[in-house]
Amino acid sequence: MDKYSLIPHLNELYNNRIKDKAPTKSNFFAWQDKKRKELTKLLTVEKLSILKINEKKDKKEKNGYVVVQKDFHLSDGTVMPVYFGQANFVKPPFRPIIIYHGHADGAQTLFGYGMTKKFQNYAEEFMKRGYLVIAPDQRGFGNRLGSAPIIYNGYTRSCRQLAFNLMLHGKTILGERVSDGFALVDYLGTRKDLDLEKIIVTGNSGGGTVAMLHAALDKRVSVSMVGSAFCEYKHSIMDLSHCECNYVPGLLNHFQEIWQVGALVAPRPMLII
């Protein structure tokens, strides 16, 4: 290996990461409570209130499904566009599933709209099975761009610059996305036409990361499905080139690896795809 390479230094840092003892059966839930608090602080997740909700008048309909956009005005001064989609044949109580899109042209991609061809109509698979799909535009994509947006694979994103901006303020973009998710679940709790016995969150790639973190911190989430996101940090975002919005400063000072983060979801089921 090149004597100037920094890889040995990085490997040493990784090998010297936190080595706390694995929780036992008797102290597992206490360990979870402690680690949830640590993860909440690392991600800088905060409580967001919904100030008002505006529903767009134009609805998109195709293949027997209807998609409506609602704008959630949040207490941090941001507006979160959320797409609600369901099949025409479905009657209440509706079964909710929150889908977090990955690096794409916003949540509209999940319904077959927008520029991104990958993962199109992902939401349709759930709608045709009777679910009410709730899909927010994640920060840095779709309508929610920040400074210095770039065009990548045919769509516009600003997640990289947004992540750096937030770091300067001691915040993380993943934490802000999870905060949005908490606000969405708060909203679901106000509706009388939903079956809230089972709230599901899912996502693919970057959306899978947010789905796992949301489920890890929010015990109101009953089931989570994590696609193309659950892999050791060492063999994914540490050794391979990834978007900056995947990183949480100091995470390996509190968690041995991604499996300890995932353990915060237990005993609720989590499907890893």
Side-chain angles (χ1 to χ4, degrees):
M1 184 179 293
D2 186 339
K3 67 179 181 180
Y4 300 110
S5 172
L6 294 175
I7 292 177
H9 172 60
L10 295 174
N11 288 337
E12 183 180 9
L13 286 174
Y14 180 79
N15 292 334
N16 290 330
R17 70 194 187 283
I18 187 171
K19 298 292 197 304
D20 58 343
K21 293 182 179 179
T24 63
K25 185 177 180 180
S26 61
N27 71 357
F28 181 71
F29 292 115
W31 175 86
Q32 280 188 317
D33 290 340
K34 176 177 177 291
K35 289 298 183 180
R36 282 195 187 100
K37 291 177 182 177
E38 293 178 14
L39 185 58
T40 298
K41 187 174 182 179
L42 285 169
L43 289 171
T44 61
V45 174
E46 56 185 292
K47 171 70 174 177
L48 296 178
S49 300
I50 300 171
L51 304 180
K52 65 177 179 178
I53 301 173
N54 294 329
E55 181 173 326
K56 296 286 187 178
K57 292 183 178 180
D58 55 320
K59 299 180 180 181
K60 295 181 178 179
E61 297 189 52
K62 71 175 183 179
N63 301 332
Y65 308 108
V66 59
V67 180
V68 177
Q69 179 185 334
K70 297 183 181 182
D71 289 343
F72 285 62
H73 296 252
L74 304 176
S75 55
D76 65 350
T78 64
V79 180
M80 173 173 58
V82 184
Y83 299 86
F84 291 76
Q86 64 188 108
N88 291 324
F89 66 81
V90 179
K91 304 297 181 184
F94 306 117
R95 295 179 295 162
I97 179 169
I98 298 173
I99 303 181
Y100 295 108
H101 66 82
H103 283 66
D105 191 27
Q108 60 179 332
T109 303
L110 301 171
F111 300 95
Y113 305 103
M115 298 298 295
T116 312
K117 302 302 180 185
K118 199 175 184 181
F119 308 125
Q120 278 200 342
N121 289 338
Y122 178 18
E124 186 173 323
E125 294 301 316
F126 291 102
M127 291 190 293
K128 71 182 182 183
R129 289 166 173 78
Y131 286 95
L132 169 63
V133 171
I134 302 120
D137 265 356
Q138 295 218 70
R139 299 185 187 223
F141 303 105
N143 293 298
R144 307 181 80 189
L145 299 176
S147 60
I150 62 172
I151 297 177
Y152 178 81
N153 284 347
Y155 67 92
T156 304
R157 64 172 184 166
S158 64
C159 50
R160 180 177 187 271
Q161 196 69 16
L162 183 57
F164 288 148
N165 269 273
L166 290 171
M167 284 181 192
L168 291 174
H169 295 285
K171 294 177 175 290
T172 72
I173 190 170
L174 283 174
E176 293 212 339
R177 290 169 178 169
V178 172
S179 298
D180 289 340
F182 268 78
L184 272 180
V185 176
D186 289 343
Y187 163 76
L188 297 182
T190 67
R191 290 185 50 164
K192 305 301 182 184
D193 60 345
L194 301 181
D195 177 5
L196 297 178
E197 289 298 312
K198 186 174 288 185
I199 297 176
I200 304 172
V201 298
T202 187
N204 194 75
S205 191
T209 298
V210 176
M212 180 189 68
L213 293 172
H214 185 183
L217 295 178
D218 191 348
K219 291 191 283 187
R220 297 172 298 178
V221 172
S222 310
V223 177
S224 54
M225 296 181 288
V226 178
S228 303
F230 196 94
C231 178
E232 287 184 339
Y233 297 128
K234 181 67 176 75
H235 300 298
S236 57
I237 63 173
M238 296 182 73
D239 282 356
L240 302 174
S241 177
H242 272 269
C243 180
E244 292 78 2
C245 68
N246 286 290
Y247 299 85
V248 180
L251 185 70
L252 292 181
N253 293 331
H254 296 264
F255 294 87
Q256 288 185 21
E257 253 291 356
I258 194 172
W259 59 74
Q260 281 200 335
V261 179
L264 300 183
V265 180
R268 293 163 292 147
M270 178 171 68
L271 175 64
I272 299 172
I273 305 169

